Amino acid sequence: MKHIAIVGGGTAGWMAAVLFAHIWRDFSVTLVEAPDIPTVGVGEGSTPALKKYFDFLGIAESEWMAATGATYKTGIRFAGWSGRADYPDYFHAFDSALDLHTEPAFLYNCDMRRLGIAVQAHPDDYFINARLAAENRVPVPDRQFPFATGYGYHFDAGRLAGYLSQQAAARGVLHSRARVTGVPVDASGIARLQLDSGETLVADLYVDCTGFSAHLLQGALAEPFVSYEDQLLNDRAVVIGLAPESPAPVYTRAEAADCGWIWKIPLAHRTGYGYVYSSRFCSPAQAEQSLRRHLGVTDAVPARHLTMRVGRRARHWVKNCLALGLSQGFIEPLEATALNLVQTTIEQFADSWELSDFTDTQRQAFNQRVNDHFDGVRDYIVAHYLASARRDTPYWQAATAVPASDPLAPLLQAWHQAGDLRLLLKQPQYDRFYAPMSWYSLLSGYGCFLPGDQLRPGSDKANRFPVQTIRQFLSACATHYPGVGSDSTIHQ
Ligand SMILES: Cc1cc2nc3c(=O)[nH]c(=O)nc-3n(C[C@H](O)[C@H](O)[C@H](O)COP(=O)(O)OP(=O)(O)OC[C@H]3O[C@@H](n4cnc5c(N)ncnc54)[C@H](O)[C@@H]3O)c2cc1C
């Protein structure tokens, strides 16, 4: 029987423990967690991948959502990012089967507007999830409506880790509360783990879920860190929790601020706020005061400060050690992709390992895929800054002047020069997580078009997708989705 030792009991560690125990039922899995090293405990937004995770495990939404105070998430509203008065905000919707009927019109109209033709091309008008967010409807339609809607969740990270630890125990995962104090290495990688309890743990695979410290992959195996700090300036966050809203909105809000941006994440039992900022432009005390002013709360409400290390490991799977979660890397949580990266890393690792155990070829291919995923998310986040016209603070002057990566530069250039962006996005280097719909939503939502007074009326062909038709269609579709709190907010 093979043995997997996971070090770390944050969300990454417990997600991995449950999934490994579920996939490889004949393996033994042990999770070691230092009781005196806290987890990060924030990270309350997901992508639709989290639904697939629980569906794969056969765990009903009604069960885990209730246990973690989770709410539905149809996407993210970005406010104050563009710096263009006509474009104060836009919605980045998770995709849905209905988009097949509206996305072609959206892409076409964006392309027309990029050519200088006065058609309506704001993403809020084209996607069912944007409509559901505006009307605050649950993204699960009634049974008569046969279209799957993509959605994610907001959840309490601490409760999620606790819930997953129970699931892990039910699947036979052993739990050891001890600190790993020694990690001797040999030719195969990690030789064993020495615990402060005096015990020694030997495994076939060691999974590093120790958070930013990367105790195994960096501490023992000295795997280098590839920093993104030249492109992504934010390295701190301060968070405050307030009373829940009723009914809770079905989307995350990300609002640009003087030295970064502020999230708002509605849970069933709390509304979480966080100011993500750059310590080069703002001290922790200033950031905390800014957040308090924004929320209108006094010093009596507690705030928590966090430091973020932004970048990734050069490799994530080295010899017999796999890093997952913050130990493998982190990108500022603007699109809430961290748990998605954990999940896809586990799934790709499981595929690789099943194909050929511990061969170098599998490791190389795997590491390349994970790095592409990380770099692809980074580029999409960087584009949120490069596309902005804000220059109103030293932070925004710096954040909008960062270098674009080799794939990102031509992409932005193609958009601005009315090039064939859709063709470009079909090239393999762009198959790295974000689909054309996301790129188009971002750049049209920012209003990266000619100013309105320079646009010209188009021919009938250019106007063949009138936005009123799409609005009517989505409005009719939305009636199939219940309002939040109208009957039940959790459907399965
Ligand atoms: C400000 C901020 C906002 C975020 N927002 C989001 C979001 O919206 N969506 C999202 O998906 N993600 C988000 N994340 C990321 C998310 O919080 C993490 O990806 C997730 O919590 C996983 O963390 P982790 O388990 O890797 O590490 P941690 O939570 O840091 O857990 C580390 C674990 O390792 C253990 N440990 C450490 N050293 C040892 C040792 N020597 N021996 C034994 N155990 C040890 C600790 O006890 C702990 O249990 C955010 C992160 C930050 C910082």
Side-chain angles (χ1 to χ4, degrees), residues 147-457:
F147 293 95
T149 308
Y151 57 84
Y153 309 93
H154 306 115
F155 54 85
D156 181 316
R159 289 191 190 181
L160 181 65
Y163 177 78
L164 290 173
S165 73
Q166 292 165 13
Q167 290 296 320
R171 288 168 169 78
V173 173
L174 301 172
H175 185 192
S176 169
R177 287 181 196 280
R179 184 191 271 246
V180 172
T181 46
V183 189
V185 295
D186 62 16
S188 65
I190 291 172
R192 61 192 171 280
L193 302 175
Q194 286 161 350
L195 312 186
D196 63 358
S197 57
E199 287 166 283
T200 297
L201 205 60
V202 178
D204 300 283
L205 174 72
Y206 297 88
V207 185
D208 185 345
C209 297
T210 58
F212 285 121
S213 72
H215 199 62
L216 310 191
L217 196 65
Q218 177 183 277
L221 296 177
E223 185 61 17
F225 186 74
V226 179
S227 174
Y228 292 158
E229 67 185 356
D230 289 345
Q231 290 156 289
L232 291 169
L233 307 185
N234 297 334
D235 57 355
R236 298 283 173 100
V238 51
V239 300
I240 286 180
L242 295 181
E245 280 180 33
S246 182
V250 290
Y251 62 93
T252 300
R253 185 176 165 88
E255 184 169 345
D258 286 352
C259 297
W261 55 276
I262 294 171
W263 81 67
K264 174 186 170 189
I265 292 189
L267 305 179
H269 55 288
R270 172 181 80 217
T271 305
Y273 294 90
Y275 186 6
V276 175
Y277 64 97
S278 167
S279 62
R280 286 184 234 173
F281 297 91
C282 181
S283 71
Q286 287 168 329
E288 184 177 326
Q289 281 318 309
S290 297
L291 183 58
R292 289 188 185 286
R293 263 197 314 278
H294 178 81
L295 301 175
V297 298
T298 65
D299 290 356
V301 181
R304 196 152 76 86
H305 290 264
L306 296 140
T307 300
M308 309 182 298
R309 193 172 188 205
V310 178
R312 61 165 170 80
R313 295 281 144 209
R315 295 173 300 172
H316 310 261
W317 177 11
V318 179
K319 297 185 174 178
N320 59 359
C321 179
L322 171 73
L324 286 175
L326 299 174
S327 62
Q328 68 177 136
F330 182 63
I331 299 167
E332 66 177 71
L334 189 55
E335 293 278 349
T337 42
L339 286 189
N340 184 299
L341 281 155
V342 171
Q343 194 179 333
T344 47
T345 304
I346 301 171
E347 287 164 2
Q348 289 177 0
F349 174 77
D351 290 348
S352 300
W353 203 15
E354 294 214 334
L355 277 177
S356 70
D357 224 27
F358 280 138
T359 65
D360 280 342
T361 315
Q362 285 301 326
R363 279 196 203 93
Q364 271 170 19
F366 167 88
N367 284 323
Q368 189 59 53
R369 272 201 304 277
V370 179
N371 285 344
D372 286 348
H373 192 161
F374 262 89
D375 294 351
V377 173
R378 175 206 59 199
D379 285 351
Y380 189 67
I381 303 296
V382 169
H384 288 72
Y385 296 96
L386 291 183
S388 175
R390 281 190 75 149
R391 304 287 186 272
D392 53 317
T393 64
Y395 167 84
W396 280 98
Q397 287 157 17
T400 52
V402 298
S405 70
D406 286 348
L408 181 57
L411 192 155
L412 295 176
Q413 202 178 22
W415 175 278
H416 289 295
Q417 295 178 353
D420 193 340
L421 192 61
R422 284 195 251 178
L423 188 66
L424 187 71
L425 285 169
K426 284 190 181 134
Q427 292 181 12
Q429 69 266 35
Y430 295 106
D431 183 19
R432 302 187 307 171
F433 199 59
Y434 283 102
M437 176 262 205
S438 288
W439 287 105
Y440 273 69
S441 291
L442 166 61
L443 294 164
S444 68
Y446 273 56
C448 296
F449 299 114
L450 285 174
D453 57 6
Q454 292 179 29
L455 298 173
R456 60 185 191 281

